[in-house]
Amino acid sequence: MKLGRLNHIGVATPSIADSIAYYRDTMGATAITEPFDLPEQGVKVCFVDTPTHSGMDGTQIELIEPYDESSPINGFLAKNPLGGQHHVCFEVADIAAARDWFEGQGKRILGPTRIGAHGTPIFFVHPKDMMGQLTEIMETPKGAH
């Protein structure tokens, strides 16, 4: 397994609309996707692109808002009512090989491998096994993300 690029930083928010305004008006973001629902994961999602020299490979900010009262993000927001950094996400070439690698090291995988917001397979590794940081592992998207 080889560490891939940092794809995004997940930021939990009580309001995607307010967070979009912050990234646009305070931080000067110009490329922000339309929010969309991922009810199977219990979240609403939106991506803020960060600029790069090439314009193709900037790390994104993933804004995540609870979809409903059963959302796993609600627990995070109960402890952090203003929101905040929720997870980091790294790309890998082969999601199955990466999962085997982490499991072989005794790392706790949270739930099954599933399709994430970029339309590619993902899984999460428990923060207690990752220096206190919830870590998403994502198969590198094919084409634009």
Side-chain angles (χ1 to χ4, degrees):
M1 215 277 310
K2 182 179 173 188
L3 177 68
R5 100 180 167 89
L6 177 63
N7 180 278
H8 67 265
I9 298 169
V11 176
T13 177
S15 168
I16 282 181
D18 290 348
S19 294
I20 288 172
Y22 166 79
Y23 278 98
R24 183 188 59 237
D25 301 340
T26 302
M27 300 299 291
T30 58
I32 302 172
T33 68
E34 285 295 318
F36 59 96
D37 296 339
L38 283 176
E40 63 280 358
Q41 293 188 35
V43 294
K44 298 175 185 178
V45 177
C46 173
F47 288 100
V48 178
D49 292 340
T50 63
T52 65
H53 294 294
S54 70
M56 297 296 293
D57 56 0
T59 299
Q60 294 180 307
I61 306 297
E62 179 187 40
L63 301 174
I64 47 178
E65 176 185 322
Y67 179 73
D68 59 23
E69 53 282 337
S70 69
S71 173
I73 302 302
N74 286 324
F76 181 90
L77 289 173
K79 295 176 189 169
N80 306 279
L82 297 177
Q85 182 179 333
H86 181 261
H87 67 272
V88 295
C89 176
F90 294 97
E91 294 180 11
V92 296
D94 182 329
I95 197 76
R99 187 176 179 111
D100 289 345
W101 167 267
F102 284 107
E103 288 175 335
Q105 292 190 358
K107 307 300 184 194
R108 289 170 282 183
I109 307 298
L110 301 173
T113 299
R114 58 193 178 274
I115 300 301
H118 284 103
T120 64
I122 66 162
F123 63 84
F124 286 89
V125 186
H126 198 289
K128 289 184 179 178
D129 295 335
M130 301 298 285
M131 297 180 58
Q133 182 63 62
L134 179 61
T135 303
E136 180 179 356
I137 303 298
M138 164 183 154
E139 193 163 275
T140 300
K142 311 299 184 246
H145 67 278

